[in-house]
Amino acid sequence: MEVTFEGEEQDPDVRFVRGTGKYVDDIKLEGMLHLHVVRSPYARARVLSVSGGITGNELKATMESVGEDAGGKSAVSFPALSASYVNYVGQPVAAVLGLDRYDAADKAEEVDVQYEPLRPVIDPEKALASEPIHPGMENNLVAAAELGKEFEVKAPIEIEETLRMTRISPNPMETKGMVAVYDGSNLTVYASTQSPFSWREGLASSLGLKEESVRVVQMDTGGGFGSKGGIYPEYVVAAYAAMKTKRPVKWSETRYENILSTNMGRGVRGKMKVYADREGKLKGLKADILVDVGAYPLGGGGWTARWIASQLVGPYSVPRAYATAKAVLTNKVNMGPYRGAGRPEAAFFMERMMDRLADETGVDAAEVRLRNATSRRTTSPLGMEAPPSKQLFMKALRAFKYSSRKKKENVGLSFFMLIPAAYGGESAKLAVKGGRVKVWMGGSSHGQRHDVFAKSLVSEELGIPQDVIDFQHTDTRSISGGVGSWGSRTAILGGGAIVEASRSLKAAAKKKLGKKYSPARLLEGEYEAEAFFKPKDLLNTLGANMASARLTKEGNAVVDEVVSFYDAGKVLNPFMLESQITGGVAQGIGEIMYEQAIYSEDGQLLTASIADTGVIHATEMPKSVVMTAASRSTLPHGAKGVGESPTIGVPPAATRALEVLLGRRFTTLPIEPEKLWATDVAGVKEVRVR
Amino acid sequence: MPQTSHIAVEVNGVKREADVEPRLLLVHFLRENLGLTGSHIGCDTTSCGACTVLLDDKAMKSCTVLAVQADGRKVMTVEGLGGHGKLDPVQEGFVAEHGLQCGFCTPGMVISAYALLQENPDPTEDDIRTAISGNICRCTGYEKIIESVKHAAKARRRRRT
Amino acid sequence: MIPPRFEYAAPKSVREAVDLLKSRGGEAKVLAGGQSLIPLLKLRLAAPSLLVDINRVTGLDYIRESGGFLRVGALTRVSTLNRSALLKKRYGALHDASLTIADPLVRNLGTVGGNLSHGDPSNDLPAVLLAAGGELAATGPSGDRSVRAEDFFVGTFTTALAQDEILTEARFPVPPPRSGGVYLKVEQKVADFATAGVAVQVSLDKKSEYARVGIGLTGVGPTALKATKAEAAMVGKRATDRKAAQEAGELAADASSPTTDIRGTEEYKRGLIRLLVTRGLERASQRARRGA
Ligand SMILES: Cc1cc2nc3c(=O)[nH]c(=O)nc-3n(C[C@H](O)[C@H](O)[C@H](O)COP(=O)(O)OP(=O)(O)OC[C@H]3O[C@@H](n4cnc5c(N)ncnc54)[C@H](O)[C@@H]3O)c2cc1C
Ligand code: FES
Ligand code: FES
């Protein structure tokens, strides 16, 4: 019983416009059962009893932290199904199987769970002083770090500000899901994923299986944005159900379940203080970062606070800096990576301070930034390395036509550094047979069309036409290892691996064919090459955004245009790049104006539909202009990471544009609608706008 | 035994008959009973439009229509566009302008765009934005989708003349 | 997100539909466009034993003027309102509102009757009908009756319709010359329900003074509201009297009882009413002078 991609149309665009993509939920296998998960309606409760279906009394598995989330062993174990106590609304407590989703939904009504509700801890600021949400812990603190050195400095300008980015749901259009098939000894999982190898590792570990006996195949994947890198309790339960029943089991969640149970991004508070001279030159930076990690510190909770703090200085130079960073538990679904994962928070906090500095000193916002930009590679007092930034930012300002547009329009700027998730490297494999070349990557596309650059790199390296190259879905059986696709990494690392694999394939062919070697002869033979690429050099890259804002006829402030200027290295495909960036711009706009998770005091999620979580439509999308600075990286193919740049650069720039337009200061994202209204809250006094 | 109703629906030009429970949603009928998995499900609140199909030539969200309601009526899904290996101009537009990334919203977008161009062959950009405002795309930021629809409109006009 | 089981019937006439409703006591529900009811079923927030699908009842889909009313059949789709030249010309508030409801796909199915009989204080058409001073026609086991809009919206998700009655028609009085209406709605994103909405319908006399003023409010109370004090205060005022319009805004804001939710605070919503009523009066009277 296997799902194959044999004979499928190679061009994914064509496949998708025809409706012949193969997503997890499209799989139909003989005898397949449908899994429905029963979830906690309480943010915090003791489970007194649970009967019906598969429960935590039967399946005692706990979750491993893998993939982009990976954060090592945690003090608390996260059960696949909880039989003792629950810690967020939506936490799985039982599961039932039905012949189809209707049958499964009906059966779920027969599961009986008795709870004793407890008072939840919701506010991260209060969590430090509240009783621990997990028995046996001393408090709710799961990570604390100090970076740089405490300092005292006399400065004529000192500015303090508390800034917030509210939690948001990643909301890929395809929700999470999988199909598990067990043949008595091997488990095959068809997955909607950013990382088949992380799934393999996590499922094997949670279920006590050998990695060799678990195969994970990536299906067409309808977006991830960070949420499909690691594994979730439901995956373990579905795999277990397939092993138990020896029948294929499908789990495909609803949007409601997706919003309740998928790791959310952001949820960070930054207290910032900058010291500067009257010309706006920074003399020092202090910060305190607080991350709301939710109920279990698996989704990056252990490291995110430090990670954010480490990059606060961004592309600037500051003589002294000191930061403290804490992560606390609350009764909410776990925090996890969402496009940018820590980078947007750091940039928003720092760029807001740069704008304040401009306002306090009267120095233009671009000039203040340039004065603190660097002409040399530097390492910040918080430990982060940055490339020289001044040149690129000056270029960006010219490209933006900043000085002339600033006079007529309400514009905001941001400068930032993007640190791609290069750790771990990435793999690629090539196989030549029957006149065609198959290409696999260890971590691959869930919407980024990696096939496009993969094919063009292979074709360039081997001198063969693109139409003999077949890009393959990532399958842990076809390639020996891999990492995953997130953190602006795949084009740089996967691309690097493809170049290396192509070169070793070519070398092998040359060795065999000697003088007779030609691309055509290469295609006549049979060759295989796999490469695991680990970059040695600094891959941190820079970007800038400019946004402009205006009022609608009805007096609402909106973002009118976003211009992106990113150092993308050698651009592998300008078309795809533009689309990636504009997609990120939409998410950035969502983040400042609409997107958020709102919880009630008792921990109920009040934003539990895709409409209420704030994802934007075509009608709310501003104009997006994309420009790139082409400066090759040191990688074999010259690429640089860029996927997360817009969610880093757009929020601060667009927030500033709105601030300039309305003359109101914004410190929390998303900005409340009433603050974007060009009258006072009473609807009487019109705000004077520029 | 729950009540079932016998329905006959013309789907993409072919008459399909089945006995279904009244509560069966049209999108599930298409996907599960008929295997037409091009219509996707992206939400449960009638918000995303991934399930958009034409019902008697009008675009609507098939997750919010009962299969029994389609009895005796015509449904067209993304699989019914184009024909004999050829793409419809709307589909061509999406390929030419790369109006997609992960492809999940694409079938719904394509159907909404198709319905728009049937009614308004020469839409303005605002018309296009409004016409696809019931369809959510999380990947593209919509710009390339709008370009795709413009492309399609031109191609259709060329075909007509 | 799977509906519970129910039985289904698709009668061909209003009479048949009423009989079916009657046969089940309170257990049956009418299915019109389904754009509110089916989402509720999916959430299992409604569990009728029988759905009476009225989409196959003929003669309920029309827009026409007769007997001093614009008559809109209950099964008329919102998208039909969008495209009506008559509405655009003479029933500005209804036309405006129809374009702000949901999204084009939902509008292709959602009906006027459903929008009014759902009793949702966030639906847009009730405020329009209230502002127009309209009425509704219903058919039940004991025949037809009409209900004034003011008497129709009883509470959140409850209307004056009995469980075995079917709404057949919404009636908007044909406005005299020099009349105009607008619907102003503040929503966060397309397809969001109103944070607040205001329908204004005015008629001016020869001196450009307000002869009749109707004001309906969306989303700021347990039902759509008729701002009667604000309406009365405007009669006899000049159409250009900004101060009077602001006072009407104040009165309407006082009459509203919004609650804080994810769309905004109570204070903000009241502020919106104040502003939208003021602005609505100005725009409606502009249309009146242009004869829209
Ligand atoms: C994403 C989304 C966004 C929306 N946004 C808006 C919005 O901004 N503004 C807005 O006004 N609406 C909005 N709606 C609601 C939409 O307009 C619905 O169509 C409308 O509320 C109900 O109309 P319907 O014909 O679909 O009714 P149904 O869903 O079929 O029925 C709704 C209720 O009315 C009863 N009913 C229907 N017709 C009759 C009748 N003739 N006689 C007696 N009872 C009847 C039903 O029994 C049911 O209880 C939105 C809906 C969705 C899904
Ligand atoms: S699945 Fe139908 S609108 Fe989302
Ligand atoms: S292409 Fe991914 S949702 Fe539109």
Side-chain angles (χ1 to χ4, degrees):
Chain A
M1 218 169 320
E2 216 176 310
V3 179
T4 72
F5 300 95
E6 284 308 312
E8 110 178 327
E9 162 66 48
Q10 260 287 307
D11 183 341
D13 282 10
V14 173
R15 223 150 18 95
F16 294 150
V17 299
R18 284 210 165 112
T20 51
K22 275 190 195 154
Y23 301 87
V24 160
D25 197 33
D26 303 340
I27 297 175
K28 212 170 179 182
L29 296 173
E30 177 113 6
M32 188 167 77
L33 297 172
H34 198 95
L35 184 95
H36 184 108
V37 173
V38 178
R39 299 170 185 282
S40 167
Y42 297 105
R44 187 164 174 231
R46 227 185 301 282
V47 178
L48 301 176
S49 68
V50 41
S51 61
I54 302 168
T55 70
N57 296 318
E58 172 185 342
L59 172 61
K60 294 209 156 53
T62 59
M63 306 300 298
E64 196 70 22
S65 175
V66 294
E68 189 180 5
D69 301 350
K73 281 273 166 265
S74 115
V76 202
S77 70
F78 183 13
L81 291 171
S82 185
S84 52
Y85 63 105
V86 284
N87 275 303
Y88 62 92
V89 174
Q91 182 166 0
V93 289
V96 294
L97 291 162
L99 296 172
D100 56 34
R101 72 184 76 230
Y102 285 69
D103 187 32
D106 292 346
K107 291 214 168 87
E109 306 232 305
E110 292 157 22
V111 173
D112 182 44
V113 192
Q114 297 295 322
Y115 298 94
E116 178 193 331
L118 301 170
R119 185 138 52 127
V121 173
I122 301 304
D123 182 349
E125 310 265 357
K126 292 186 189 141
L128 280 175
S130 308
E131 61 161 331
I133 64 167
H134 297 291
M137 286 190 78
E138 269 172 31
N139 54 38
N140 289 315
L141 186 70
V142 286
E146 241 182 300
L147 294 83
K149 272 210 257 347
E150 176 64 292
F151 64 85
E152 275 178 49
V153 67
K154 280 228 164 355
I157 308 256
E158 294 186 13
I159 309 165
E160 267 184 281
E161 189 89 88
T162 300
L163 300 152
R164 288 192 173 80
M165 283 177 112
T166 311
R167 280 186 152 216
I168 43 188
S169 303
N171 268 323
M173 281 317 298
E174 181 205 23
T175 56
K176 305 195 300 293
M178 61 178 256
V179 171
V181 182
Y182 187 65
D183 67 4
S185 50
N186 292 303
L187 176 70
T188 301
V189 172
Y190 299 98
S192 172
T193 179
Q194 292 173 245
S195 176
F197 284 95
S198 303
W199 279 50
R200 185 177 73 171
E201 184 192 344
L203 287 173
S205 151
S206 290
L207 292 164
L209 302 170
K210 288 209 194 71
E211 280 198 21
E212 304 84 80
S213 61
V214 180
R215 173 186 173 206
V216 180
V217 184
Q218 186 193 27
M219 301 298 293
D220 282 329
T221 294
F225 310 110
S227 69
K228 292 178 181 169
I231 64 164
Y232 289 87
E234 294 87 346
Y235 302 172
V236 174
V237 179
Y240 169 79
M243 293 170 67
K244 180 179 171 179
T245 59
K246 308 238 169 20
R247 285 171 72 168
V249 170
K250 179 191 282 185
W251 174 70
S252 158
E253 68 184 348
T254 62
R255 176 63 53 185
Y256 177 61
E257 292 181 287
N258 178 267
I259 295 169
L260 283 188
S261 73
T262 304
N263 296 349
M264 290 192 194
R266 319 292 185 256
V268 183
R269 184 271 283 147
K271 278 193 183 147
M272 300 284 286
K273 182 167 186 181
V274 294
Y275 303 78
D277 65 21
R278 292 196 194 285
E279 280 69 53
K281 181 91 182 98
L282 288 170
K283 299 181 74 134
L285 166 72
K286 283 188 193 178
D288 178 56
I289 302 297
L290 181 69
V291 173
D292 177 355
V293 304
Y296 299 90
L298 260 75
W303 52 265
T304 302
R306 160 184 277 278
W307 163 240
I308 293 171
S310 72
Q311 45 181 315
L312 282 171
V313 174
Y316 305 112
S317 143
V318 53
R320 41 189 93 68
Y322 173 68
T324 49
K326 293 187 207 76
V328 294
L329 296 169
T330 58
N331 289 110
K332 298 179 193 147
V333 70
N334 300 351
M335 188 219 64
Y338 166 62
R339 199 168 188 174
R343 302 165 184 87
E345 293 90 323
F348 182 71
F349 297 159
M350 189 63 190
E351 288 301 282
R352 291 276 62 212
M353 296 314 283
M354 292 310 255
D355 287 328
R356 288 250 6 218
L357 190 53
D359 293 346
E360 301 288 329
T361 55
V363 179
D364 169 77
E367 183 55 32
V368 154
R369 288 172 166 85
L370 287 177
R371 283 182 192 172
N372 291 290
T374 61
S375 313
R376 248 178 294 120
R377 193 154 151 170
T378 50
T379 301
S380 87
L382 301 177
M384 187 59 70
E385 234 188 303
S389 58
K390 197 164 186 165
Q391 282 307 92
L392 186 102
F393 291 152
M394 286 169 58
K395 245 194 199 167
L397 291 172
R398 281 195 296 274
F400 292 156
K401 298 196 170 51
Y402 172 75
S403 12
S404 64
R405 287 193 63 177
K406 179 187 90 162
K407 287 183 201 134
K408 295 173 288 193
E409 297 170 65
N410 304 288
V411 299
L413 277 180
S414 70
F415 289 173
F416 65 89
M417 176 168 73
L418 166 72
I419 308 157
Y423 53 84
E426 192 51 282
S427 65
K429 179 175 156 183
L430 265 60
V432 178
K433 196 180 171 182
R436 301 194 68 82
V437 185
K438 284 188 175 167
V439 185
W440 292 266
M441 290 191 353
S444 75
S445 183
H446 43 287
Q448 299 86 341
R449 293 295 310 273
H450 295 139
D451 61 299
V452 174
F453 80 75
K455 285 185 183 181
S456 84
L457 286 175
V458 171
S459 141
E460 219 171 277
E461 288 292 326
L462 299 180
I464 56 170
Q466 289 205 17
D467 57 13
V468 301
I469 306 169
D470 299 324
F471 189 76
Q472 305 293 303
H473 289 246
T474 303
D475 178 342
T476 58
R477 204 172 62 180
S478 307
I479 180 167
S480 59
V483 180
S485 187
W486 56 70
S488 310
R489 69 198 313 275
T490 306
I492 48 180
L493 305 178
I498 284 177
V499 171
E500 284 197 352
S502 304
R503 289 181 186 172
S504 68
L505 192 102
K506 192 167 164 178
K510 275 196 165 153
K511 200 165 155 205
K512 193 166 149 204
L513 298 167
K515 283 220 165 60
K516 282 184 282 179
Y517 172 85
S518 72
R521 297 293 293 268
L522 169 102
L523 286 176
E524 284 164 14
E526 277 190 27
Y527 304 93
E528 244 185 58
E530 198 172 321
F532 207 100
F533 178 72
K534 284 192 176 162
K536 292 170 206 80
D537 204 18
L538 176 73
L539 294 174
N540 295 356
T541 174
L542 300 163
N545 276 102
M546 186 174 78
S548 62
R550 67 173 167 88
L551 281 189
T552 63
K553 206 172 75 206
E554 299 297 344
N556 270 315
V558 293
V559 178
D560 198 27
E561 183 183 274
V562 173
V563 194
S564 305
F565 185 89
Y566 299 155
D567 180 6
K570 183 182 173 219
V571 175
L572 299 170
N573 185 316
F575 220 41
M576 302 295 156
L577 185 90
E578 240 176 67
S579 175
Q580 271 285 305
I581 292 178
T582 298
V585 170
Q587 289 175 325
I589 293 300
E591 180 148 14
I592 66 164
M593 298 188 57
Y594 312 103
E595 291 192 46
Q596 63 179 326
I598 306 178
Y599 289 88
S600 71
E601 262 172 38
D602 54 2
Q604 296 293 333
L605 189 58
L606 302 179
T607 45
S609 72
I610 196 165
D612 288 345
T613 53
V615 178
I616 71 170
H617 309 92
T619 30
E620 290 94 36
M621 179 66 190
K623 186 169 170 220
S624 161
V625 178
V626 177
M627 298 188 278
T628 52
S631 64
R632 283 187 69 95
S633 68
T634 52
L635 298 177
H637 58 311
K640 290 183 181 174
V642 66
E644 293 165 309
S645 294
T647 50
I648 306 171
V650 173
T655 301
R656 175 62 171 181
L658 292 165
E659 188 169 278
V660 172
L661 171 73
L662 293 167
R664 284 180 184 145
R665 196 166 292 291
F666 300 126
T667 56
T668 297
L669 295 189
I671 302 167
E672 295 126 288
E674 57 197 78
K675 298 210 172 126
L676 292 172
W677 185 241
T679 64
D680 62 344
V681 164
V684 178
K685 221 169 82 209
E686 309 236 344
V687 167
R688 258 195 43 189
V689 297
R690 246 188 67 143
Chain B
M1 223 14 229
Q3 181 202 1
T4 58
S5 306
H6 187 78
I7 59 170
V9 188
E10 187 190 314
V11 181
N12 300 331
V14 181
K15 187 164 162 194
R16 312 291 294 255
E17 293 187 61
D19 291 311
V20 300
E21 272 194 78
R23 63 170 171 165
L24 183 69
L25 300 172
L26 178 60
V27 70
H28 287 137
F29 174 68
L30 295 169
R31 290 177 52 82
E32 315 276 343
N33 297 44
L34 304 185
L36 293 169
T37 54
S39 306
H40 295 154
I41 302 171
C43 74
D44 18 61
T45 47
T46 322
S47 310
C48 77
C51 61
T52 305
V53 302
L54 299 184
L55 182 57
D56 284 346
D57 300 323
K58 284 230 165 86
M60 55 197 56
K61 295 174 173 176
S62 64
C63 69
T64 314
V65 179
L66 303 172
V68 280
Q69 290 183 275
D71 183 28
R73 302 171 70 181
K74 269 191 332 198
V75 172
M76 193 179 79
T77 70
V78 70
E79 289 96 337
L81 279 181
H84 304 295
K86 281 195 58 167
L87 296 178
D88 182 87
V90 177
Q91 293 168 312
E92 274 170 16
F94 275 73
V95 173
E97 298 291 335
H98 186 50
L100 62 138
Q101 285 180 32
C102 79
F104 201 77
C105 71
T106 311
M109 286 287 179
V110 165
I111 294 286
S112 282
Y114 179 86
L116 167 71
L117 298 182
Q118 290 289 87
E119 188 176 332
N120 177 1
D122 190 11
T124 63
E125 175 159 336
D126 272 350
D127 294 339
I128 298 172
R129 280 186 197 269
T130 303
I132 61 167
S133 65
N135 299 78
I136 298 178
C137 174
R138 187 59 158 164
C139 299
T140 62
Y142 302 101
E143 235 153 71
K144 298 239 178 276
I145 295 177
I146 292 161
E147 290 310 311
S148 304
V149 182
K150 287 184 189 162
H151 186 112
K154 266 195 217 123
R156 280 169 64 113
R157 289 201 301 273
R158 236 179 286 122
R159 259 189 213 193
R160 293 275 148 78
T161 53
Chain C
M1 300 301 146
I2 300 296
R5 289 204 172 94
F6 47 76
E7 288 170 59
Y8 173 85
K12 297 252 168 21
S13 70
V14 173
R15 174 96 343 253
E16 224 183 305
V18 167
D19 287 345
L20 280 162
L21 288 175
K22 190 161 189 267
S23 73
R24 290 293 169 109
E27 297 252 303
K29 260 203 170 303
V30 172
L31 174 69
Q35 303 301 288
S36 289
L37 184 54
I38 294 178
L40 284 181
L41 291 170
K42 286 204 262 179
L43 291 166
R44 302 202 169 189
L45 290 176
S49 74
L50 171 72
L51 277 197
V52 179
D53 179 355
I54 58 171
N55 286 283
R56 288 172 208 264
V57 173
T58 47
L60 286 179
D61 178 1
Y62 53 85
I63 302 177
R64 61 168 173 262
E65 284 179 321
S66 73
F69 286 106
L70 172 81
R71 295 166 190 269
V72 183
L75 270 183
T76 307
R77 310 285 158 179
V78 175
S79 57
T80 311
L81 305 183
N82 295 165
R83 295 181 178 91
S84 161
L86 171 65
L87 257 55
K88 192 166 179 196
K89 188 162 147 258
R90 223 195 319 240
Y91 300 88
L94 185 56
H95 191 249
D96 289 350
S98 74
L99 288 166
T100 71
I101 291 173
D103 62 49
L105 302 170
V106 171
R107 295 202 286 265
N108 272 340
L109 278 179
T111 65
V112 171
N115 200 297
L116 293 166
S117 38
H118 193 43
D120 187 337
S122 298
N123 274 359
D124 295 298
L125 296 185
V128 177
L129 193 72
L130 284 169
E135 58 181 54
L136 299 114
T139 302
S142 47
D144 301 344
R145 64 170 180 139
S146 67
V147 190
R148 293 191 322 159
E150 290 133 273
D151 303 326
F152 188 76
F153 305 103
V154 176
T156 307
F157 301 115
T158 35
T159 66
L161 281 181
Q163 274 159 340
D164 49 13
E165 269 185 317
I166 287 190
L167 180 72
T168 53
E169 185 176 275
R171 298 174 185 153
F172 301 80
V174 175
R178 290 175 69 74
S179 293
V182 290
Y183 187 70
L184 300 177
K185 170 175 175 177
V186 170
E187 60 183 5
Q188 271 203 286
K189 300 178 275 81
V190 158
D192 283 346
F193 284 95
T195 309
V198 167
V200 178
Q201 179 68 38
V202 305
S203 302
L204 302 179
D205 63 17
K206 292 217 177 67
K207 294 177 289 181
S208 276
E209 281 166 9
Y210 289 108
R212 188 200 162 273
V213 174
I215 299 174
L217 312 178
T218 303
V220 289
T223 64
L225 303 173
K226 190 164 164 63
T228 44
K229 280 192 187 146
E231 292 173 351
M234 287 313 287
V235 174
K237 298 277 168 25
R238 290 195 60 81
T240 49
D241 188 342
R242 179 115 225 254
K243 190 129 185 304
Q246 276 169 340
E247 275 161 22
E250 199 61 51
L251 289 169
D254 286 348
S256 71
S257 53
T259 50
T260 296
D261 60 16
I262 61 166
R263 294 177 214 295
T265 60
E266 184 188 325
E267 194 192 7
Y268 168 51
K269 292 181 186 178
R270 222 176 244 123
L272 288 177
I273 292 296
R274 216 170 265 131
L275 191 75
L276 295 181
V277 166
T278 308
R279 207 177 265 172
L281 283 162
E282 287 170 356
R283 295 208 189 148
S285 55
Q286 275 162 18
R287 281 187 178 170
R289 275 172 287 172
R290 270 189 280 120

